[in-house]
Amino acid sequence: MAETHGLMERLEKAVTRLESLFSDSHSSGGMECDGINGVNGSIAPYVEAFDRLLNGSVAEFLRYSKILEGDVKTHAEMVRAAFQAQRSFLLLASQCQEPPENEVAMLLKPISEKIQEIQNFRERNRGSSMFNHLSAVSESIPALGWIAVSPKPGPYVKEMNDAATFYTNRVLKDYKNSDTRHVDWVKSYLNIWSELQAYIKEHHTTGLTWSKTGPVASPMSMRSVLTSSSCLSPPPPPPPPPGPPPIFDTETAKDEGTASRSALFAQLNQGEAITKGLRHVSDDQKTHKNPSLRAQGPPVRSPTKSHTPSPTSPKNSPQQNHAPVLELEGKKWRVEYQEDKNDLVINNTELKQVAYIFKCNKSTLQIKGKINSITIDNCKKFGLVFDNVVGIVEVINSRDIQIQVMGKVPTISINKTEGCHIYLSEESLDCEIVSAKSSEMNILIPQDGDYKEFPVPEQFKTAWDGSKLVTEPAEIVG
């Protein structure tokens, strides 16, 4: 009995000591959080505001994406993960002081990887029936990079939102009168960026607000913030548990460099004589008519894994090689990843066929016959010669493009392109040119056996006439 009594006393002392240690630890931890967040260790107001955005517009977007299912649903889950990564970064900033610039780049790596994953998904699914949906998300998701923009992150988000509307307008055009679910999806997605702009205006007008106290942010403190539960109650919804900290590179991946542009193609300056140098592609050289060619090297759309720039030198890392493609897939001619090819020809076209030209550089393509539409996407120093198009020719996200019309085309659209020369024929002088966010555009009109160049206006002036705004091109003084 005495032994039992003594054992109970020792146990009581041990429990008392443990409670004392826990109380001291909790008190000191709470004081540290108070100093960082201001009120009783609660989450910072701007993190709470971001949680409201997550539970509001982002959750609504996820709901409409699940209704559409398929690629749209998968893509939306990636968007959710990217916003959760941003939420984790904001939580870190609310508790820690701003680190040196090169270390900020390290901490942003998880967000940049999520953005890259979203964009890679679009590239891997170019044949998707929801390609315009995927493109709208892929083109605008870099808006999450606002946390690295100063002093005006809000306008940066608006610019990315504008990039999405080019594709969301296509979605609306396709489904406005047939399936309102897609219309609701568009509204919910664009609403995310509108609310994010309002959030930035209220909480981070001139740039991300870091804590003035606490430790300097580091990869270790990021992991500590995410795993710690003593200071902060888990937010709704909680971020995914982090893995071990990766080896970060010192620079975030950037978009294509600003390398100087070289001279435009001399081939197209020949006018109609350009077709003399083109080589005919016989049936045995076409992948869609020769199974043995497909067996030797199947078309590669995108790597199966998401690839990230080399940690040692992201700017100089070699681009991943893709097999060049020139084939008819259903009613679509796919011309992709052609490099230094100036003798590409498409024959035997039909009125219902379309041509999609993607990431072709320093190449020239001739399309004979009559075709429905042509799209040039992400090409550089590319020349196109075609006979007749009954719909539209679109140039998107490209640079140094030259187009020669041999017959007729009703509309040519130029969007987000630097450098585009269009040679019209006598038959196509009634063609309409529609341009947006583009520069260095010139239309060449045939006159007296030669071409005369006319620049497309890039500068406009707008005035109030008493009842409405009137916009007209500003005069070019030359």
Side-chain angles (χ1 to χ4, degrees), residues 104-123:
V104 172
M106 298 179 192
L107 297 171
L108 288 172
K109 184 74 181 298
I111 297 175
S112 65
E113 286 179 343
K114 296 296 182 185
I115 293 173
Q116 187 66 47
E117 180 184 10
I118 290 168
Q119 294 178 328
N120 286 344
F121 184 82
R122 190 271 293 262
E123 298 304 321

Side-chain angles (χ1 to χ4, degrees), residues 357-465:
I357 306 160
F358 178 68
K359 283 198 173 179
C360 294
N361 298 326
K362 301 179 182 178
S363 299
T364 303
L365 168 69
Q366 183 183 18
I367 300 178
K368 295 184 177 181
K370 187 176 289 186
I371 197 169
N372 186 278
S373 65
I374 303 172
T375 300
I376 300 174
D377 186 3
N378 268 284
C379 294
K380 291 182 180 179
K381 300 177 183 177
F382 182 79
L384 171 67
V385 182
F386 65 88
D387 290 347
N388 295 283
V389 170
V390 297
I392 187 173
V393 175
E394 296 180 278
V395 184
I396 310 168
N397 295 323
S398 297
R399 181 180 297 173
D400 294 342
I401 303 299
Q402 293 210 30
I403 298 174
Q404 182 160 8
V405 186
M406 307 300 291
K408 294 200 69 174
V409 58
T411 307
I412 297 177
S413 172
I414 309 169
N415 190 277
K416 295 172 67 176
T417 293
E418 297 180 18
C420 187
H421 281 50
I422 299 174
Y423 294 77
L424 296 179
S425 64
E426 293 283 356
E427 299 176 71
S428 61
L429 293 180
D430 58 348
C431 170
E432 293 183 349
I433 311 295
V434 181
S435 61
K437 297 183 180 179
S438 299
S439 61
E440 301 176 37
M441 300 169 288
N442 292 281
I443 311 302
L444 291 97
I445 306 298
Q447 291 184 357
D448 302 325
D450 201 356
Y451 285 95
K452 185 173 181 180
E453 186 176 280
F454 295 88
V456 176
E458 299 175 29
Q459 188 175 16
F460 301 87
K461 58 182 179 181
T462 302
W464 179 254
D465 69 352

Side-chain angles (χ1 to χ4, degrees), residues 23 28 31 36 131 349 460 476:
S23 177
S28 62
M31 289 174 62
I36 294 170
F131 181 69
T349 56
F460 301 87
I476 299 176

